[in-house]
Amino acid sequence: MIRLLQIEWGKLKSYRAFWVMIGLYLFILFSIIFGLPAILDYIAAQAGENEAIKAFKSLAFNFPDIWQNIAYVASMRGFIKIILAIIVVIFISNEFTYLTIRTNILSGMSRTEFLVAKLQVVFLLALMSTLVLFISGFYLGITNSPVITLTAISGKLQYLLAYLLEVFTYLTFALLIGTLIRKTGFSVIILLLYLIVEPIVGHYLPDQFGKYLPMNAMNNVIWSPNTSLMQVKTPEFDMDFQTAISIGDVGICLMYAIIFSGILYLYLQKKDL
Amino acid sequence: MSNILNIESLTKTYGRIRAVDHLDLEVDKGSVYGLLGPNGSGKTTTLGILLDIVKPNEGSFRWFGEAPSAKSRKRIGASLEHPIFYPYLSAEQNLKIIARIKEKSFDDLDEVLKLVDLYKRKDDKFKTYSLGMKQRLAIASALIGNPEVLILDEPTNGLDPQGIAEIRNIVIRIANEGMTIILASHLLDEVQKMCTHVAVLRQGKKLFSGSVGEVLSVSDTVELASANLEILSIAVKDFAGISNLRKEGELIVAHVDEGVNTTDINEFLVAKGIVLSHLSLRKQTLEQQFLELLQEAK
């Protein structure tokens, strides 16, 4: 296991384009997480220290709701996590366009090991993203919460675990696209195109099937932010908000991670490289 | 078991094309085995199958007497077709990745880099290398961890004469140390100079295999001429040790087995009442032999 990670690390550590893109991703992620409260402060100041906006800010970035809210923003469909997916697509399709997968296999890596190595990297990328959310969420929570207790902090941490699963599944999807298509540019186009294709397909499917489509399944794990403020329900404002993570939704998402890995496994076992 | 490699009835098809067609092969320990054939004769596909890059449709092979696995590939050093490395990494970084895959130490990396004369350029990125340097790096990568078998696919392809000479010297030096080498080439000269054994491939089929010496000794032909070529060709057919008769202008040309000498042929024909106006033994080069083999198979 460590050997496979060392091999992948050897491929990535001097790969400038990879680190530039990781930097870009982190920059955008931090900008959003830290930019939002700054913007709210600015709006509040412009509106003459508007109490409603101030209250919204402290509720949105309050423990424990902050975990759900930043996990929701970071996992939005076709939003910043697409950058991570593009990084994964480049990372895997390089092996096919440079033909280096051949060197890997003929030097004595099994095809299964090759897949496990890639899945490990994908998992670490998802973990890195989750850790960034944890650290920035922790900082914002500490600076915005009126009451800081251990129960408040840990209250909705399960949303970060759900985020980890959702991003990992999405990145496994990117790994699959990059492997099946093998060409970097074309894979990225397919990845983006799929964001449009799935809603169209979903539109023609009966409602009860729509949620089983892969993107929907991933997004259903964390599907709406939930602040105390937004829980207000009136006849005019009658929207559902997520109050808990459904085990069923987690199960469907997990199943997709397994299906994508399974297809990758079969493909890599059978195909000429 | 002294067999390093056994191939049985290996077949790979791409649509209607048979890239490798029921190929059987045995490679002994310590031999330098040449796979000789024109472009598209299935050499690279065969090597690809042996290294798990290409999946065969039929047939099987065994490395070191065992079913092939990632473990057996770690005992083999190989470079396929074009040199393949991560372009954005240096030579040394590329070799470290391969050493890690092979579970070998980094101790001999400097040594293999020096052997192919790339030590001074080891920190430069692969994409800055010339073709000759890339080819040499491919050989260096195949030598990591002192493998039991070395597989080289067209190692001198696209090189200038000096580059070709350098690579041949390296391979001959390694072969002299007793390493088993499998070398694919479309150049007869190369196989003749470097190999102990050869298999000639054409359209995925093995036409011939044996030691290079054997190929050379059976490759003698005899030229005959007399007043009446028709009678001559009928008469000479009865002579044991002559085969593959054909007319070449005013001559009859035929294969002769080893040990047959021209005096015997002459005496045989004189006894039949035929007087020869021309009789000479022609030692064939491997090249003529190779072209002839390809012709016959058509």
Side-chain angles (χ1 to χ4, degrees):
Chain A
M1 285 301 193
I2 293 296
R3 168 178 152 261
L4 295 179
L5 270 183
Q6 283 174 328
I7 292 166
E8 296 305 314
W9 175 246
K11 296 175 190 172
L12 290 176
K13 74 174 175 203
S14 303
Y15 186 21
R16 277 246 326 265
F18 177 79
W19 295 109
V20 167
M21 290 197 64
I22 292 280
L24 183 72
Y25 170 74
L26 292 178
F27 176 74
I28 295 175
L29 190 60
F30 277 123
S31 302
I32 290 165
I33 295 172
F34 289 97
L36 236 81
I39 289 168
L40 287 174
D41 278 343
Y42 176 77
I43 295 171
Q46 291 294 304
E49 299 298 313
N50 185 311
E51 287 306 316
I53 295 170
K54 280 189 156 176
F56 173 77
K57 186 196 158 200
S58 62
L59 284 171
F61 297 97
N62 196 2
F63 283 131
D65 287 326
I66 183 159
W67 301 127
Q68 182 176 358
N69 295 337
I70 58 173
Y72 172 75
V73 171
S75 70
M76 269 159 69
R77 184 193 307 243
F79 197 40
I80 38 178
K81 69 176 179 185
I82 194 95
I83 300 174
L84 267 190
I86 290 172
I87 294 173
V88 169
V89 161
I90 293 172
F91 166 65
I92 185 71
S93 57
N94 269 353
E95 298 273 17
F96 288 98
T97 45
Y98 296 143
L99 298 172
T100 39
I101 182 173
R102 293 185 181 173
T103 319
N104 283 235
I105 301 301
L106 69 80
S107 299
M109 192 187 262
S110 74
R111 290 171 180 232
T112 310
E113 281 178 326
F114 184 81
L115 175 58
V116 170
K118 296 301 174 200
L119 286 174
Q120 280 180 340
V121 173
V122 158
F123 180 77
L124 284 183
L125 282 176
L127 194 66
M128 173 201 76
S129 175
T130 310
L131 277 177
V132 168
L133 289 197
F134 177 75
I135 292 163
S136 38
F138 193 76
Y139 173 78
L140 287 174
I142 292 277
T143 51
N144 281 291
S145 298
V147 190
I148 299 160
T149 63
L150 204 61
T151 0
I153 293 174
S154 62
K156 286 188 166 184
L157 268 176
Q158 71 270 26
Y159 279 90
L160 285 191
L161 276 181
Y163 173 79
L164 177 64
L165 172 67
E166 186 179 331
V167 171
F168 174 72
T169 308
Y170 188 55
L171 297 186
T172 312
F173 177 70
L175 199 62
L176 179 65
I177 298 280
T179 304
L180 295 182
I181 294 176
R182 297 187 177 194
K183 298 269 179 285
T184 310
F186 198 41
S187 306
V188 172
I189 290 170
I190 295 288
L191 198 66
L192 297 175
L193 214 56
Y194 188 76
L195 292 172
I196 308 166
V197 170
E198 192 184 287
I200 296 171
V201 173
H203 181 73
Y204 290 100
L205 281 179
D207 282 352
Q208 66 267 34
F209 293 121
K211 70 169 183 172
Y212 293 107
L213 292 171
M215 291 300 124
N216 289 346
M218 289 176 217
N219 280 282
N220 282 343
V221 177
I222 303 167
W223 53 273
S224 84
N226 180 24
T227 72
S228 320
L229 191 72
M230 282 174 158
Q231 272 173 352
V232 183
K233 263 197 174 187
T234 66
E236 296 84 41
F237 190 69
D238 184 21
M239 270 178 75
D240 283 332
F241 290 104
Q242 185 174 15
T243 51
I245 300 167
S246 138
I247 295 296
D249 291 335
V250 167
I252 296 170
C253 185
L254 195 62
M255 195 190 68
Y256 267 110
I258 294 166
I259 289 175
F260 296 149
S261 312
I263 297 172
L264 276 164
Y265 176 80
L266 292 176
Y267 179 86
L268 286 173
Q269 292 300 317
K270 296 248 151 52
K271 281 286 173 179
D272 296 345
L273 303 174
Chain B
M1 197 169 197
S2 68
N3 271 356
I4 292 279
L5 171 66
N6 281 67
I7 301 179
E8 259 176 51
S9 199
L10 209 59
T11 302
K12 174 68 184 179
T13 57
Y14 293 105
R16 289 177 54 207
I17 297 160
R18 284 180 174 271
V20 180
D21 196 355
H22 293 95
L23 182 71
D24 297 301
L25 217 61
E26 274 182 23
V27 176
D28 289 334
K29 194 170 162 53
S31 60
V32 180
Y33 205 105
L35 287 180
L36 180 62
N39 294 328
S41 58
K43 305 183 298 285
T44 300
T45 309
T46 304
L47 296 181
I49 294 170
L50 297 176
L51 295 164
D52 195 32
I53 304 298
V54 177
K55 294 286 180 185
N57 298 89
E58 269 179 61
S60 64
F61 60 95
R62 295 169 80 78
W63 278 112
F64 315 107
E66 297 163 12
S69 66
K71 202 173 136 234
S72 59
R73 288 200 299 282
K74 288 182 184 134
R75 298 164 68 181
I76 303 165
S79 96
L80 269 193
E81 236 173 347
H82 315 290
I84 298 168
F85 293 96
Y86 294 91
Y88 49 82
L89 297 183
S90 72
E92 192 180 31
Q93 286 168 329
N94 269 299
L95 294 190
K96 278 183 176 172
I97 289 174
I98 293 169
R100 279 226 163 88
I101 292 173
K102 287 182 165 303
E103 299 187 75
K104 299 279 157 55
S105 79
F106 296 161
D107 295 348
D108 64 348
L109 295 189
D110 285 353
E111 196 188 316
V112 296
L113 281 164
K114 280 175 188 157
L115 182 76
V116 298
D117 201 19
L118 283 175
Y119 184 71
K120 282 183 192 139
R121 294 285 306 268
K122 73 186 169 95
D123 294 323
D124 292 340
K125 287 187 165 48
F126 176 70
K127 62 182 169 198
T128 68
Y129 277 23
S130 71
L131 181 59
M133 293 165 76
K134 287 177 178 176
Q135 299 272 32
R136 296 209 303 271
L137 185 62
I139 293 183
S141 76
L143 288 172
I144 291 172
N146 198 24
E148 291 161 62
V149 188
L150 185 65
I151 294 181
L152 299 171
D153 188 6
E154 306 277 7
T156 61
N157 217 3
L159 296 185
D160 56 25
Q162 194 199 339
I164 292 174
E166 280 172 14
I167 293 217
R168 283 186 185 168
N169 288 337
I170 292 169
V171 173
I172 290 168
R173 207 182 327 158
I174 297 161
N176 287 340
E177 284 165 21
M179 196 183 285
T180 310
I181 300 177
I182 299 172
L183 175 110
S185 177
H186 67 281
L187 303 169
L188 292 136
D189 181 46
E190 190 157 287
V191 171
Q192 201 168 9
K193 283 189 177 134
M194 295 198 256
C195 298
T196 57
H197 293 75
V198 61
V200 181
L201 302 185
R202 185 176 163 275
Q203 293 184 353
K205 282 202 177 84
K206 183 176 76 179
L207 299 181
F208 178 86
S209 67
S211 75
V212 169
E214 222 175 283
V215 176
L216 287 171
S217 66
V218 298
S219 70
D220 296 347
T221 53
V222 66
E223 292 174 357
L224 307 151
S226 72
N228 192 327
L229 286 184
E230 299 301 318
I231 296 168
L232 172 63
S233 68
I234 293 162
V236 83
K237 260 182 200 158
D238 296 333
F239 185 83
I242 274 195
S243 58
N244 278 319
L245 261 75
R246 63 176 191 276
K247 250 180 98 172
E248 259 182 28
E250 293 302 299
L251 296 172
I252 298 279
V253 180
H255 279 276
V256 287
D257 292 350
E258 204 175 353
V260 172
N261 74 50
T262 44
T263 320
D264 296 341
I265 298 172
N266 203 6
E267 275 174 5
F268 175 80
L269 289 171
V270 167
K272 290 206 163 196
I274 295 168
V275 179
L276 291 170
S277 57
H278 173 86
L279 172 63
S280 81
L281 198 62
R282 185 159 86 188
K283 286 270 182 190
Q284 244 186 343
T285 64
L286 187 58
E287 181 147 20
Q288 285 167 323
Q289 173 73 12
F290 175 59
L291 292 173
E292 218 162 81
L293 277 169
L294 294 181
Q295 283 296 327
E296 281 167 19
K298 268 186 186 158

